[in-house]
Amino acid sequence: MDWPLRLPAGATVLLLLAMASHESMATVIDVGVNWGSQLSHPLLPSSVVHMLKENGISKVKLFDADPWPIGALIDSGIEVMLGIPNNMLETMNSYGNAKDWVKENVTSYGDKLNIKYVAVGNEPFLKAYNGSFMKTTFPALKNIQKALNEAGIGGKVKATVPLNADVYVSPDNKPSSGVFRPDIEDLMTGMVKFLHDQGAPFVVNIYPFLSLYQSDDFPFEFAFIDGGKTIQDKGGISYSNVFDANFDTLVTAMKKAGVPNIKVVVGEVGWPTDGDKNANIKLARRYYDGLLKKLAKEEGTPLRPGKMDVYMFGLFDEDMKSILPGNFERHWGIFTYDGKPKFPMDLTGHGNDKLLAAVPAVQYLPKQWCVFDDEAKDKSKLPGNIEYACASGDCTAIGYGCSCNSLDEKSNISYAFNMYFQMQDQDVRACDFDGLAKITEKNASAHGCLFPIQVISAANHIATPVVISFAALLAVLMVLV
Ligand SMILES: *[C@@H]1O[C@H](CO)[C@@H](O)[C@H](O)[C@H]1NC(C)=O
Ligand SMILES: *[C@@H]1O[C@H](CO)[C@@H](O)[C@H](O)[C@H]1NC(C)=O
Ligand SMILES: *[C@@H]1O[C@H](CO)[C@@H](O)[C@H](O)[C@H]1NC(C)=O
Ligand SMILES: *[C@@H]1O[C@H](CO)[C@@H](O)[C@H](O)[C@H]1NC(C)=O
């Protein structure tokens, strides 16, 4: 056989594969993803970063500056938004502390970490926080940006504050009537002027799912990008979906505040897959399909045509998240807790029916489940034990309209017991429940409800799997050529 290049046959195939995957990556849209950390069993960061690169995802948003995931992002080229949690905002009101934060969590990485933004707080003006961070957020923002500027990197790294869409309102639901929420209007006006002066973007989290969840009257189709339902605004502008309408409400509010041209980044947008009647795989897939096609077309919104800067929420289901806002909170992942894609998603925006690459080398606990022991004599202690299991185990999939809602009573109990047992790393003592439970090797999944086996947490089992990176593969091939 006559090969075009003098390479061993296998290497040519690899080279062609490498070229093909490189080509497809070039057309992946520039969409980021939120990488949260509220999981009982986090996956190995280096495996997660390998998966991100394989899928062509080139930017991530973090909620803190934990050196563990950051270690894996070093030299990856992936653009990073670091976070400062709300409970550190008050500390950052001291300029000395802000300087220390920047020194330890930004400048110490030098050029090895591609930091673009520092997110100061996370949705600090959410009504649910009852004003707790109202006084400390803006001073913290100013101190962090000042520290970045003084360190000589303020031109490249910008501080900003990701805010929930509840910081602005529209009295008649039309984008052209957008204003900042009256109780924080002065604060918001001052803050957006500061951001604009520093060349920093406004970061907003927009949740069409929550529009549906919070109001039974909300027009269902308007939640989706491809719904076909429209609303009319002044000047003949028409909106075909709530994402665009919400975004332009903000644009109007900022125009009224005197900063018509400030850049807007969508810090979070997504759709959960369980925990509510409208949270499922089918609707999540529909939402993302519409969104990714829209982003690929670079059409923007009526008031801001062009390319949008968007981060999906989020990477994985997080079983430790608070469920105060709703049971769906633990099901925002585009990947499952064990790093598998939940549904086809095409990051080129062409709507192709293909799955993203999974996180490689995930290791599982043994194939065993904790279930209700029907032969147990004293069943009086059942309610207390179920409550106990669900207080720390994740029972959010058994509610009305959820993936495990059709379980019978016994399987319901088993589900709760198993979730607790798995969370406790299958410790035999975590499958007792006053003698009401037993361990089985028979897969307890039933009625379309998955009884999961937990992964071996990378947090207490740090073993480095052998992962050949794309760059390493290319380097080997170059040597061969
Ligand atoms: C750097 O970030 C980490 C993680 O968020 C935090 O625990 C630490 O306190 C920060 N360092 C300083 C000096 O503030
Ligand atoms: C919210 O603020 C009100 C008024 O200051 C107070 O009565 C209430 O206890 C606060 N709630 C929380 C959750 O902090
Ligand atoms: C199972 O538990 C869920 C959630 O507590 C409940 O809604 C459902 O009615 C239960 N099913 C049975 C058959 O007990
Ligand atoms: C248990 O069964 C479910 C449903 O058939 C399946 O999806 C899952 O992979 C099985 N679990 C294991 C560990 O084999």
Side-chain angles (χ1 to χ4, degrees):
M1 242 208 208
D2 232 336
W3 292 101
L5 296 167
R6 284 184 187 283
L7 288 175
T12 307
V13 172
L14 281 176
L15 182 62
L16 291 174
L17 279 175
M19 280 159 62
S21 87
H22 192 70
E23 205 164 291
S24 69
M25 263 184 206
T27 57
V28 165
I29 56 179
D30 181 26
V31 64
V33 65
N34 283 269
W35 183 0
S37 58
Q38 296 184 59
L39 289 86
S40 63
H41 290 66
L43 300 173
L44 196 66
S46 57
S47 299
V48 175
V49 170
H50 178 86
M51 174 277 283
L52 294 172
K53 292 180 85 165
E54 199 163 332
N55 287 315
I57 295 174
S58 58
K59 50 190 190 188
V60 293
K61 177 168 168 283
L62 306 174
F63 292 90
D64 51 29
D66 182 352
W68 197 40
I70 288 172
L73 288 162
I74 282 175
D75 288 331
S76 69
I78 293 176
E79 186 189 290
V80 181
M81 186 185 312
L82 296 176
I84 297 179
N86 288 339
N87 62 16
M88 285 183 78
L89 289 174
E90 196 174 339
T91 308
M92 296 304 139
N93 280 224
S94 135
Y95 182 58
N97 291 340
K99 242 167 58 178
D100 289 348
W101 191 94
V102 166
K103 191 169 168 220
E104 183 173 310
N105 290 314
V106 180
T107 40
S108 72
Y109 296 112
D111 291 336
K112 289 172 155 315
L113 189 64
N114 183 10
I115 304 173
K116 177 108 182 251
Y117 301 116
V118 175
V120 181
N122 185 42
E123 303 188 337
F125 303 152
L126 209 60
K127 278 198 197 130
Y129 292 139
N130 212 6
S132 306
F133 308 110
M134 218 80 110
K135 290 205 175 71
T136 47
T137 303
F138 194 12
L141 170 71
K142 287 196 256 194
N143 280 341
I144 293 291
Q145 188 65 58
K146 185 174 163 199
L148 292 166
N149 294 349
E150 273 189 10
I153 49 172
K156 186 177 151 262
V157 186
K158 303 293 182 187
T160 183
V161 180
L163 290 160
N164 185 274
D166 84 345
V167 298
Y168 48 91
V169 292
S170 166
D172 63 0
N173 284 325
K174 300 275 161 78
S176 61
S177 307
V179 282
F180 285 121
R181 210 170 77 206
D183 65 311
I184 49 171
E185 197 186 340
D186 291 345
L187 175 57
M188 288 304 302
T189 303
M191 237 171 68
V192 293
K193 285 192 168 136
F194 176 81
L195 291 171
H196 183 253
D197 289 348
Q198 297 292 328
F202 189 100
V203 177
V204 63
N205 300 339
I206 297 178
Y207 280 112
F209 168 80
L210 293 181
S211 304
L212 263 189
Y213 180 75
Q214 283 156 2
S215 160
D216 280 335
D217 299 333
F218 189 85
F220 187 82
E221 292 298 319
F222 198 55
F224 298 91
I225 311 258
D226 61 353
K229 155 110 188 135
T230 57
I231 63 160
Q232 298 302 316
D233 202 348
K234 272 188 229 140
I237 297 179
S238 105
Y239 286 91
S240 63
N241 66 84
V242 71
F243 176 79
D244 286 1
N246 196 310
F247 189 98
D248 279 1
T249 306
L250 169 64
V251 171
T252 310
M254 291 197 294
K255 194 171 162 201
K256 287 178 190 161
V259 288
N261 299 318
I262 186 172
K263 178 180 159 79
V264 181
V265 171
V266 177
E268 297 181 11
V269 63
W271 201 281
T273 57
D274 210 341
D276 180 65
K277 65 180 194 296
N278 289 323
N280 54 53
I281 300 277
K282 194 170 156 235
L283 293 181
R285 184 178 176 187
R286 179 178 170 196
Y287 189 77
Y288 276 113
D289 265 354
L291 177 72
L292 293 169
K293 278 182 196 161
K294 174 188 170 60
L295 295 178
K297 281 190 272 178
E298 301 191 354
E299 61 183 17
T301 67
L303 297 187
R304 284 283 180 94
K307 193 167 175 253
M308 298 182 99
D309 200 350
V310 173
Y311 293 80
M312 301 182 282
F313 190 91
L315 211 41
F316 305 113
D317 282 355
E318 296 176 58
D319 61 350
M320 307 277 283
K321 280 198 87 176
S322 159
I323 49 171
L324 226 53
N327 282 342
F328 54 83
E329 273 297 322
R330 292 178 180 164
H331 303 277
W332 287 105
I334 55 177
F335 292 88
T336 52
Y337 72 100
D338 54 346
K340 295 204 175 82
K342 289 181 183 170
F343 48 87
M345 179 182 267
D346 182 2
L347 294 180
T348 68
H350 291 128
N352 291 323
D353 193 20
K354 59 179 193 185
L355 289 168
L356 292 178
V359 175
V362 173
Q363 289 177 296
Y364 292 85
L365 293 168
K367 283 191 186 180
Q368 52 177 4
W369 292 260
C370 177
V371 295
F372 173 49
D373 185 356
D374 208 11
E375 280 154 26
K377 295 197 177 63
D378 181 8
K379 300 205 168 67
S380 66
K381 287 185 174 157
L382 257 181
N385 277 295
I386 295 171
E387 200 178 311
Y388 181 79
C390 291
S392 51
D394 178 18
C395 297
T396 54
I398 52 177
Y400 169 69
C402 303
S403 63
C404 296
N405 193 232
S406 52
L407 292 178
D408 59 26
E409 210 178 327
K410 280 180 207 157
S411 311
N412 247 1
I413 301 164
S414 294
Y415 187 85
F417 286 177
N418 184 58
M419 289 309 274
Y420 181 79
F421 175 63
Q422 300 294 337
M423 183 172 238
Q424 301 298 320
D425 293 313
Q426 300 187 354
D427 186 330
V428 288
R429 289 164 298 180
C431 187
D432 179 36
F433 297 107
D434 290 318
L436 291 159
K438 61 177 184 194
I439 294 172
T440 174
E441 287 178 7
K442 186 172 167 279
N443 191 336
S445 302
H447 305 288
C449 165
L450 176 74
F451 281 56
I453 295 289
Q454 190 50 272
V455 301
I456 297 175
S457 174
N460 46 34
H461 181 93
I462 302 183
T464 316
V466 182
V467 170
I468 302 168
S469 76
F470 176 71
L473 181 65
L474 209 61
V476 168
L477 290 167
M478 307 246 274
V479 171
L480 284 172
V481 175

